[in-house]
Amino acid sequence: MRKIIIAGNWKLNKTIAEAVELVSEIKSQADGVTNVDIVVCPVFTALSEVNKIVAGSNVGLGAQDLYWEDSGAFTGEVSVPLLKDAGCQYVIIGHSERRQYFGETNETVNSKVKAALAGGLIPIVCVGENLEQREADKAFDVVKDHVENSLKGFSADEMKKIIVAYEPVWAIGTGKTASPAQAQEIHNFIRSLLKEMHNDEVAESMRIQYGGSVKPENAKELMGQKDIDGALVGGAALKAESFLGIIKNC
Ligand code: 13P
């Protein structure tokens, strides 16, 4: 049985004080929840203060990106050892906004996943097509390209540590959620790719989150799909009430 994982991607939002306030509320209301893994991913500058609140609790901490070198002349970058030093257990890699605005490619995603695994962080690897690609009937091709190339070269044991997040770009921040059937179709496809790349055991043990306008109202039906093992939540993760609503509804 795969355990549901609900992660909040706070994107470029919240000062340190606001982040601390939000996570304090999430932590107190999520107290006692053991059947769902809960993760918050604040901006880099808030990680360390948020960690002081969640350390030792059932709320995990994640970053939104990383660089694959540990240290050196790489101005502006943050590495795996530094993220661990700030308290992170997870890291989002290859989010569509990074692919779209910051030149992230399958190759850079692959290097980042490699670094995260080597350093002991759990990567949440994002894949998904945009509207133009979906309308041109290319969704499966794009997802296949993202999955095969971003996750190239890992052992079965490494793969089992990776979480995949399917985020159709057309559903991010638009209020347009993929229907549960549309999402399940791609999740099932991703699992079949993982099986082809490795084997049944790897494919069945890996968790695949859905992301794109997840809210308390649609969480239950989405999470009820056979191959959907959680959610990567943007907008609705910025308020304790809606983030907790999603957790309670699955
Ligand atoms: P929204 O939930 O705001 O659509 O964002 C989804 C997302 O990009 C999470 O990473």
Side-chain angles (χ1 to χ4, degrees), residues 184-209:
Q184 165 59 23
E185 188 183 28
I186 300 274
H187 280 239
N188 182 261
F189 175 63
I190 293 172
R191 213 174 291 288
S192 71
L193 292 172
L194 297 171
K195 185 177 168 183
E196 266 172 40
M197 291 165 73
H198 288 272
N199 55 44
D200 229 2
E201 197 210 340
V202 168
E204 288 303 321
S205 66
M206 284 179 69
R207 293 188 285 184
I208 308 173
Q209 294 177 305

Side-chain angles (χ1 to χ4, degrees), residues 120-135:
L121 284 178
I122 299 170
I124 298 177
V125 183
C126 303
V127 302
E129 80 287 359
N130 63 29
L131 183 61
E132 198 184 319
Q133 292 160 335
R134 173 149 289 253
E135 284 177 345

Side-chain angles (χ1 to χ4, degrees), residues 164-250:
V164 176
Y166 169 59
E167 298 206 311
V169 180
W170 50 271
I172 295 178
T174 58
K176 277 190 211 159
T177 325
S179 70
Q182 270 174 327
Q184 165 59 23
E185 188 183 28
I186 300 274
H187 280 239
N188 182 261
F189 175 63
I190 293 172
R191 213 174 291 288
S192 71
L193 292 172
L194 297 171
K195 185 177 168 183
E196 266 172 40
M197 291 165 73
H198 288 272
N199 55 44
D200 229 2
E201 197 210 340
V202 168
E204 288 303 321
S205 66
M206 284 179 69
R207 293 188 285 184
I208 308 173
Q209 294 177 305
Y210 169 78
S213 299
V214 176
K215 305 179 212 53
E217 303 81 62
N218 58 25
K220 189 172 180 182
E221 213 186 336
L222 284 163
M223 298 311 121
Q225 304 299 309
K226 183 172 166 287
D227 290 297
I228 301 185
D229 310 310
L232 185 55
V233 187
L238 295 174
K239 291 213 166 79
E241 194 190 349
S242 42
F243 189 58
L244 286 150
I246 291 168
I247 292 165
K248 284 182 185 138
N249 285 353
C250 57

Side-chain angles (χ1 to χ4, degrees), residues 110 113-125 151-164 194 198 202 205-207:
N110 189 259
V113 176
K114 210 171 282 173
L117 289 171
L121 284 178
I122 299 170
I124 298 177
V125 183
L151 302 182
K152 193 158 59 186
F154 298 115
S155 70
D157 281 346
E158 286 173 320
M159 289 294 279
K160 289 184 199 166
K161 294 183 185 133
I162 297 171
I163 295 165
V164 176
L194 297 171
H198 288 272
V202 168
S205 66
M206 284 179 69
R207 293 188 285 184

